Short mmCIF file of all heavy atoms in Angstrom, two decimals:
data_model
loop_
_atom_site.label_atom_id
_atom_site.label_comp_id
_atom_site.label_asym_id
_atom_site.label_seq_id
_atom_site.Cartn_x
_atom_site.Cartn_y
_atom_site.Cartn_z
N ARG W 16 -2.38 5.53 5.42
CA ARG W 16 -2.70 4.92 6.80
C ARG W 16 -2.10 5.85 7.85
O ARG W 16 -0.93 6.33 7.67
CB ARG W 16 -1.99 3.62 6.79
CG ARG W 16 -2.03 2.94 8.19
CD ARG W 16 -1.26 1.64 8.16
NE ARG W 16 -0.60 1.49 9.55
CZ ARG W 16 -0.25 0.35 10.06
NH1 ARG W 16 -0.33 -0.66 9.37
NH2 ARG W 16 0.26 0.37 11.16
N GLY W 17 -2.76 6.29 8.84
CA GLY W 17 -2.19 7.03 9.98
C GLY W 17 -2.95 6.72 11.25
O GLY W 17 -4.07 6.36 11.36
N PHE W 18 -2.28 7.07 12.41
CA PHE W 18 -2.91 6.84 13.60
C PHE W 18 -1.97 7.72 14.63
O PHE W 18 -0.88 8.17 14.32
CB PHE W 18 -2.84 5.27 14.14
CG PHE W 18 -1.52 4.76 14.10
CD1 PHE W 18 -0.68 4.61 15.18
CD2 PHE W 18 -1.04 4.13 12.92
CE1 PHE W 18 0.45 3.94 15.15
CE2 PHE W 18 0.30 3.54 12.85
CZ PHE W 18 0.97 3.51 14.06
N ASP W 19 -2.54 7.90 15.81
CA ASP W 19 -1.84 8.68 16.84
C ASP W 19 -0.85 7.68 17.54
O ASP W 19 -1.29 6.81 18.19
CB ASP W 19 -2.88 9.13 17.90
CG ASP W 19 -2.29 10.07 18.88
OD1 ASP W 19 -1.02 10.19 18.97
OD2 ASP W 19 -3.16 10.73 19.69
N ASN W 20 0.36 8.08 17.38
CA ASN W 20 1.53 7.13 17.84
C ASN W 20 2.09 7.66 19.19
O ASN W 20 3.17 7.34 19.62
CB ASN W 20 2.48 6.98 16.77
CG ASN W 20 3.46 5.77 17.26
OD1 ASN W 20 3.05 4.81 17.87
ND2 ASN W 20 4.73 5.83 16.70
N SER W 21 1.40 8.65 19.87
CA SER W 21 1.93 9.32 21.05
C SER W 21 1.50 8.53 22.19
O SER W 21 0.45 7.89 22.16
CB SER W 21 1.60 10.77 21.07
OG SER W 21 0.02 10.90 21.07
N PRO W 22 2.19 8.71 23.42
CA PRO W 22 1.76 8.04 24.50
C PRO W 22 0.36 8.53 25.03
O PRO W 22 0.16 9.62 24.73
CB PRO W 22 2.84 8.44 25.58
CG PRO W 22 4.10 8.69 24.82
CD PRO W 22 3.55 9.35 23.48
N PRO W 23 -0.45 7.74 25.61
CA PRO W 23 -0.26 6.27 25.94
C PRO W 23 -0.80 5.29 24.77
O PRO W 23 -0.69 4.13 24.95
CB PRO W 23 -1.19 6.17 27.06
CG PRO W 23 -2.41 7.16 26.73
CD PRO W 23 -1.78 8.27 26.09
N TYR W 24 -1.11 5.86 23.55
CA TYR W 24 -1.68 5.07 22.51
C TYR W 24 -0.65 4.08 21.86
O TYR W 24 -0.96 3.13 21.37
CB TYR W 24 -2.33 5.94 21.46
CG TYR W 24 -3.39 6.84 22.09
CD1 TYR W 24 -3.17 8.28 22.13
CD2 TYR W 24 -4.56 6.37 22.59
CE1 TYR W 24 -4.02 9.06 22.69
CE2 TYR W 24 -5.52 7.22 23.24
CZ TYR W 24 -5.21 8.60 23.33
OH TYR W 24 -6.08 9.39 23.78
N ASN W 25 0.58 4.58 21.85
CA ASN W 25 1.66 3.82 21.05
C ASN W 25 1.87 2.45 21.68
O ASN W 25 2.34 1.55 21.01
CB ASN W 25 3.01 4.65 20.91
CG ASN W 25 3.46 5.01 22.35
OD1 ASN W 25 2.79 4.82 23.41
ND2 ASN W 25 4.78 5.47 22.32
N GLU W 26 1.62 2.24 23.00
CA GLU W 26 1.86 0.90 23.56
C GLU W 26 0.82 -0.17 23.03
O GLU W 26 1.03 -1.34 23.39
CB GLU W 26 1.92 1.04 25.09
CG GLU W 26 0.56 1.36 25.68
CD GLU W 26 0.78 1.55 27.25
OE1 GLU W 26 1.16 2.72 27.64
OE2 GLU W 26 0.31 0.64 27.94
N TYR W 27 -0.29 0.26 22.46
CA TYR W 27 -1.32 -0.64 22.14
C TYR W 27 -1.17 -1.26 20.69
O TYR W 27 -1.94 -2.20 20.30
CB TYR W 27 -2.74 -0.03 22.46
CG TYR W 27 -2.96 0.32 23.70
CD1 TYR W 27 -2.95 1.67 24.18
CD2 TYR W 27 -3.07 -0.53 24.84
CE1 TYR W 27 -3.18 2.04 25.43
CE2 TYR W 27 -3.30 -0.27 26.15
CZ TYR W 27 -3.34 1.08 26.55
OH TYR W 27 -3.51 1.44 27.70
N GLY W 28 -0.35 -0.62 19.80
CA GLY W 28 -0.32 -1.15 18.50
C GLY W 28 -1.59 -0.86 17.77
O GLY W 28 -2.11 -1.61 16.91
N LEU W 29 -2.08 0.35 17.88
CA LEU W 29 -3.44 0.70 17.29
C LEU W 29 -3.35 0.63 15.74
O LEU W 29 -4.41 0.22 15.07
CB LEU W 29 -3.95 2.01 17.69
CG LEU W 29 -4.25 2.17 19.27
CD1 LEU W 29 -4.64 3.63 19.59
CD2 LEU W 29 -5.28 1.21 19.62
N GLY W 30 -2.26 1.05 15.10
CA GLY W 30 -2.22 1.05 13.69
C GLY W 30 -2.19 -0.40 13.23
O GLY W 30 -2.94 -0.77 12.17
N ASN W 31 -1.61 -1.48 13.89
CA ASN W 31 -1.62 -2.76 13.51
C ASN W 31 -3.06 -3.35 13.79
O ASN W 31 -3.52 -4.24 12.93
CB ASN W 31 -0.61 -3.65 14.22
CG ASN W 31 0.84 -3.36 13.88
OD1 ASN W 31 1.02 -3.03 12.63
ND2 ASN W 31 1.82 -3.47 14.68
N MET W 32 -3.65 -3.15 14.88
CA MET W 32 -5.05 -3.51 15.12
C MET W 32 -5.95 -3.06 13.99
O MET W 32 -6.78 -3.85 13.50
CB MET W 32 -5.54 -3.01 16.43
CG MET W 32 -4.85 -3.64 17.57
SD MET W 32 -5.15 -2.96 19.23
CE MET W 32 -6.94 -2.99 19.30
N LEU W 33 -5.85 -1.89 13.53
CA LEU W 33 -6.70 -1.25 12.49
C LEU W 33 -6.41 -2.05 11.15
O LEU W 33 -7.38 -2.44 10.52
CB LEU W 33 -6.45 0.25 12.31
CG LEU W 33 -7.18 0.86 11.19
CD1 LEU W 33 -8.70 0.66 11.29
CD2 LEU W 33 -6.92 2.36 11.02
N LEU W 34 -5.16 -2.27 10.88
CA LEU W 34 -4.72 -2.96 9.68
C LEU W 34 -5.35 -4.41 9.62
O LEU W 34 -5.85 -4.82 8.68
CB LEU W 34 -3.17 -3.11 9.52
CG LEU W 34 -2.64 -3.93 8.46
CD1 LEU W 34 -3.05 -3.41 7.11
CD2 LEU W 34 -1.20 -4.10 8.63
N TYR W 35 -5.16 -5.10 10.81
CA TYR W 35 -5.61 -6.49 10.84
C TYR W 35 -7.20 -6.56 10.64
O TYR W 35 -7.77 -7.48 10.03
CB TYR W 35 -5.17 -7.24 12.04
CG TYR W 35 -3.64 -7.32 12.14
CD1 TYR W 35 -3.07 -7.17 13.35
CD2 TYR W 35 -2.80 -7.51 10.98
CE1 TYR W 35 -1.54 -7.29 13.51
CE2 TYR W 35 -1.55 -7.53 11.13
CZ TYR W 35 -0.87 -7.53 12.24
OH TYR W 35 0.46 -7.54 12.44
N TYR W 36 -7.86 -5.57 11.28
CA TYR W 36 -9.39 -5.51 11.17
C TYR W 36 -9.74 -5.30 9.75
O TYR W 36 -10.68 -5.98 9.19
CB TYR W 36 -9.83 -4.44 12.10
CG TYR W 36 -11.40 -4.21 11.94
CD1 TYR W 36 -12.30 -5.10 12.58
CD2 TYR W 36 -11.94 -3.19 11.11
CE1 TYR W 36 -13.63 -4.92 12.41
CE2 TYR W 36 -13.19 -3.05 10.95
CZ TYR W 36 -14.14 -3.97 11.62
OH TYR W 36 -15.39 -3.72 11.44
N VAL W 37 -9.09 -4.31 9.11
CA VAL W 37 -9.54 -4.02 7.72
C VAL W 37 -9.16 -5.22 6.76
O VAL W 37 -9.97 -5.50 5.95
CB VAL W 37 -8.82 -2.83 7.18
CG1 VAL W 37 -8.90 -2.51 5.67
CG2 VAL W 37 -9.26 -1.60 7.93
N VAL W 38 -8.01 -5.90 6.94
CA VAL W 38 -7.80 -7.15 6.17
C VAL W 38 -8.83 -8.16 6.37
O VAL W 38 -9.25 -8.80 5.35
CB VAL W 38 -6.32 -7.65 6.39
CG1 VAL W 38 -6.10 -8.91 5.81
CG2 VAL W 38 -5.29 -6.58 5.97
N LYS W 39 -9.18 -8.37 7.63
CA LYS W 39 -10.19 -9.37 7.90
C LYS W 39 -11.63 -9.01 7.27
O LYS W 39 -12.26 -9.87 6.75
CB LYS W 39 -10.33 -9.48 9.52
CG LYS W 39 -11.41 -10.54 9.86
CD LYS W 39 -11.62 -10.65 11.29
CE LYS W 39 -12.63 -11.50 11.84
NZ LYS W 39 -13.93 -11.56 11.03
#
Side-chain angles (χ1 to χ4, degrees):
R16 176 185 143 160
F18 58 94
D19 188 351
N20 196 28
S21 60
Y24 307 109
N25 59 347
E26 67 185 80
Y27 298 111
L29 297 177
N31 290 329
M32 290 172 54
L33 177 60
L34 171 65
Y35 299 144
Y36 175 79
V37 170
V38 170
K39 181 185 179 315

